[in-house]
Amino acid sequence: MDKKTEEFYERLEAELDKSNEWPALYLYKFIVPTVADNVEKVALAFDCMGAVIKTTKSKTGKFTSVSVDVTMKNAKEIIQKYQELATIEGIVSL
């Protein structure tokens, strides 16, 4: 991971810790290309966590937005999920 990305996650962790009491409900938002099993990969990352997942395809059908409501234990766990999902080709985290 490059230094800029590392600094981003450090700031995110500090902000999350400042604005939440743990465990806390967290809303992840992603946009993925509507190809192969991208949406399924996101869903599998939150399997057995009690997550509520909503998907919406773009007008052209090229992209799918994925919203995930899930209770997370702490800021580090949230960041670990972002890093895990960053391996999906073309994913954008919002």
Side-chain angles (χ1 to χ4, degrees):
M1 183 176 354
D2 65 30
K3 186 160 179 60
K4 193 173 185 178
T5 304
E6 227 174 277
E7 289 172 354
F8 167 77
Y9 284 127
E10 286 172 7
R11 283 193 313 275
L12 177 60
E13 183 177 354
E15 285 295 319
L16 287 169
D17 280 335
K18 189 166 49 170
S19 62
N20 291 288
E21 289 187 25
W22 304 107
L25 188 63
Y26 188 76
L27 174 63
Y28 287 93
K29 288 188 173 191
F30 304 102
I31 296 174
V32 293
T34 308
V35 293
D37 55 352
N38 283 342
V39 174
E40 186 180 334
K41 287 178 184 175
V42 174
L44 285 174
F46 294 96
D47 196 30
C48 298
M49 293 180 69
V52 177
I53 301 171
K54 296 177 186 166
T55 60
T56 307
K57 282 191 179 179
S58 65
K59 287 181 184 178
T60 62
K62 291 182 181 179
F63 297 95
T64 302
S65 70
V66 183
S67 298
V68 182
D69 269 315
V70 64
T71 300
M72 301 300 277
K73 294 177 200 162
N74 56 47
K76 285 192 187 309
E77 188 178 50
I78 290 171
I79 291 167
Q80 286 170 347
K81 278 291 175 204
Y82 276 124
Q83 292 170 337
E84 175 185 338
L85 291 168
T87 61
I88 297 172
E89 189 174 335
I91 193 167
V92 176
S93 301
L94 304 174

